[in-house]
Amino acid sequence: NEALVFRRDVSQDDGSYDGSIEWKNDSLIGAQWDGRWNHQIETTVQLVAKERFNSGIEESLEWAFVRYRPFDGVDLRLGRMGADIFMLSDYRQVGYAYPWARPPHDFYGLLSIFHIDGVDLAKRIDLNGTTLTLRGFYGNHDQKFPVGVRSEAHSRLDFNAGGLSLIAERDNWKLRYTYADIR
């Protein structure tokens, strides 16, 4: 049935259908550059080329932010950064970093928020071998999503996202709680 296709996430226009094999669904190539200007200021730029409805440079630019560290344990980031609303937010597109072929499709495939343009503030605290990180974030995400298969029909979603994350890490364990308000 050509009306039913497999897509890695809802941002992809084409998909695999009718027994066809499409290499584009799960293929991507990326590059990341990190620059450390001094002990307080760092910059990060990440480009990810993959199959998506819009494949321009703006959509491929996943991260482009400046990090300011006024003192140890506090980070302020400004620019385009990963949306900090998922357990896999920092490495969602790095396939060898998780134990599956792809993140669970029924959750991560429907929520195609890979980045926001905005600001976040994080505070890290070390407590007897456990690291607690409290992060607040706010930003905007604007993206076109296909509403058909192999057509130019699309819907534009422009929304604001804000929230708080609390992450506790100890040895091989990680506990994360995130509250996000997306409108």
Side-chain angles (χ1 to χ4, degrees), residues 4 19 28 41 50 53 59 98 118 125 127 140 150 152 154 159:
L4 300 174
L28 58 82
I41 298 175
K50 67 177 191 171
F53 184 70
E59 290 78 18
Y98 41 78
I125 303 167
L127 298 172
N140 178 270
R150 291 173 299 282
E152 293 299 314
H154 68 275
F159 51 84

Side-chain angles (χ1 to χ4, degrees), residues 1-181:
N1 183 342
E2 290 190 15
L4 300 174
V5 298
F6 170 79
R7 302 180 204 177
R8 183 182 179 105
D9 60 60
V10 296
S11 70
Q12 292 182 332
D13 186 30
D14 286 335
S16 179
Y17 67 94
D18 195 25
S20 69
I21 297 175
E22 293 290 336
W23 63 272
K24 295 184 296 184
N25 288 341
D26 282 327
S27 298
L28 58 82
I29 187 167
Q32 181 171 319
W33 175 80
D34 295 308
R36 184 173 186 142
W37 306 103
N38 57 44
H39 67 281
Q40 291 181 310
I41 298 175
E42 298 175 14
T43 53
T44 299
V45 176
Q46 182 187 79
L47 290 167
V48 176
K50 67 177 191 171
E51 169 66 24
R52 60 181 111 205
F53 184 70
N54 282 347
S55 294
I57 190 74
E58 184 178 347
E59 290 78 18
S60 296
L61 185 65
E62 292 291 341
W63 294 353
F65 61 83
V66 174
R67 178 191 323 260
Y68 174 62
R69 185 170 293 130
F71 46 90
D72 284 342
V74 174
D75 289 339
L76 174 67
R77 298 188 305 173
L78 180 64
R80 178 169 284 186
M81 62 203 88
D84 192 36
I85 56 178
F86 305 111
M87 181 66 97
L88 304 179
S89 289
D90 287 340
Y91 54 91
R92 184 170 163 195
Q93 299 192 77
V94 183
Y96 64 85
Y98 41 78
W100 319 284
R102 68 186 61 84
H105 182 74
D106 50 348
F107 180 74
Y108 289 98
L110 298 174
L111 300 171
S112 187
I113 306 167
F114 289 97
H115 61 260
I116 62 171
D117 297 326
V119 61
D120 75 3
L121 179 64
K123 171 66 176 150
R124 280 182 316 283
I125 303 167
D126 290 322
L127 298 172
N128 296 326
T130 299
T131 302
L132 295 176
T133 304
L134 177 63
R135 174 177 283 134
F137 60 91
Y138 183 80
N140 178 270
H141 182 84
D142 182 12
Q143 184 175 353
K144 289 181 182 177
F145 292 92
V147 294
V149 178
R150 291 173 299 282
S151 75
E152 293 299 314
H154 68 275
S155 178
R156 180 177 211 94
L157 296 178
D158 183 2
F159 51 84
N160 295 322
L164 294 169
S165 293
L166 177 62
I167 303 166
E169 296 177 274
R170 183 179 185 110
D171 299 326
N172 294 326
W173 292 92
K174 183 176 190 177
L175 177 65
R176 178 187 187 113
Y177 176 80
T178 299
Y179 169 80
D181 184 23

